[in-house]
Amino acid sequence: MNFKDYIRVIPDFPKPGIRFKDITTLLKNGPAYQAAIEAMKQQVAELEIDVIAGPEARGFVIGAPLALALGVGFVPIRKSGKLPGETVEADYDLEYGKDKLAVHKDAIAPGQKVLIADDLLATGGTIETTVKLIQKLGGEVVGAAFLIELSYLQGRSKLGSVPVRSLVTF
C-alpha cells in the first residue's frame, strides 16, 4: 500500500510556503489506518519494547494503536498542566517562544525500554524533549517510530543514536 496516497498535502498552511502533510485523510480510512499501524508494527518488531510513549496530540493516535498492536502499554506525554498526578517536565522551543512537556513521574520505571511514536518527525524538537523526559525517569529509549518524516528538516540529527523508523518520507 502506498501510504502517501492517503496523506493530503495542503499548500500554504499554516502560513505561506508551508506544504502541510494532513494525516486526517489516512486516519478516516479504516483499512489504510489499520494497514499503517500494522506496517509500523513490522518496522519495530525487532526492538525490545516495554512501553510506547507518544507526545500530545497526534502521538496519541499513532502511539496508542501501535501499543495495542504490540501488546504493550502506552504513556501519554502532555503539555504542562494537563496531567493530574505528580510530573516531571522539560522545556522545548517553539517557532515563537517556549513550551513545556510533562509526563507522570510513575509512568516509566527505571530500565524500561521505551519506543516513542508520533505522527511526524520534522525538526525533532518535540521528540528530543520526549527523549529527555524518558531519560529523566530512568527509561531507555530504544527507538522512535513515525508515520511521516520530513527528511529535509533533518530532525533525526537531534535524536543522536536513537534508531528512527519512518513509514513515509517527504
Side-chain angles (χ1 to χ4, degrees), residues 56 60 77-85 87 89 100 102 104:
E56 187 173 321
F60 299 179
I77 307 295
R78 305 274 334 249
K79 293 193 176 166
S80 182
K82 299 286 186 178
L83 291 169
T87 62
E89 296 186 348
K100 289 183 183 198
H104 278 133

Side-chain angles (χ1 to χ4, degrees), residues 124-160:
T126 302
I127 303 305
E128 179 183 38
T129 304
T130 301
V131 169
K132 287 177 186 174
L133 283 172
I134 293 164
Q135 290 172 339
K136 274 186 181 183
L137 295 175
E140 177 189 347
V141 178
V142 296
F146 303 94
L147 182 63
I148 300 171
E149 180 178 357
L150 304 179
S151 60
Y152 54 90
L153 293 177
Q154 301 177 344
R156 270 178 196 250
S157 65
K158 289 190 178 172
L159 302 181

Side-chain angles (χ1 to χ4, degrees), residues 61-129:
V61 298
I62 300 301
L66 184 56
L68 283 173
L70 290 166
V72 299
F74 177 75
V75 173
I77 307 295
R78 305 274 334 249
K79 293 193 176 166
S80 182
K82 299 286 186 178
L83 291 169
E86 195 174 351
T87 62
V88 294
E89 296 186 348
D91 292 327
Y92 69 105
D93 292 323
L94 297 170
E95 192 172 356
Y96 301 107
K98 287 190 174 287
D99 208 344
K100 289 183 183 198
L101 289 178
V103 63
H104 278 133
K105 277 190 174 181
D106 62 357
I108 296 167
Q112 268 193 312
K113 294 177 179 0
V114 183
L115 174 73
I116 298 169
D118 204 356
D119 69 319
L120 179 74
L121 175 60
T123 63
T126 302
I127 303 305
E128 179 183 38
T129 304

Side-chain angles (χ1 to χ4, degrees), residues 16-96:
I18 303 292
R19 294 179 47 79
F20 186 82
K21 309 308 183 274
D22 179 18
I23 66 166
T24 63
T25 46
L26 182 142
L27 297 176
K28 74 177 184 177
N29 183 307
Y33 187 14
Q34 187 173 11
I37 295 300
E38 182 59 32
M40 291 180 76
K41 175 184 171 186
Q42 297 307 317
Q43 286 185 323
V44 300
E46 84 286 356
L47 299 174
E48 187 179 332
I49 301 164
D50 296 319
V51 68
I52 292 179
E56 187 173 321
R58 291 176 297 197
F60 299 179
V61 298
I62 300 301
L66 184 56
L68 283 173
L70 290 166
V72 299
F74 177 75
V75 173
I77 307 295
R78 305 274 334 249
K79 293 193 176 166
S80 182
K82 299 286 186 178
L83 291 169
E86 195 174 351
T87 62
V88 294
E89 296 186 348
D91 292 327
Y92 69 105
D93 292 323
L94 297 170
E95 192 172 356
Y96 301 107

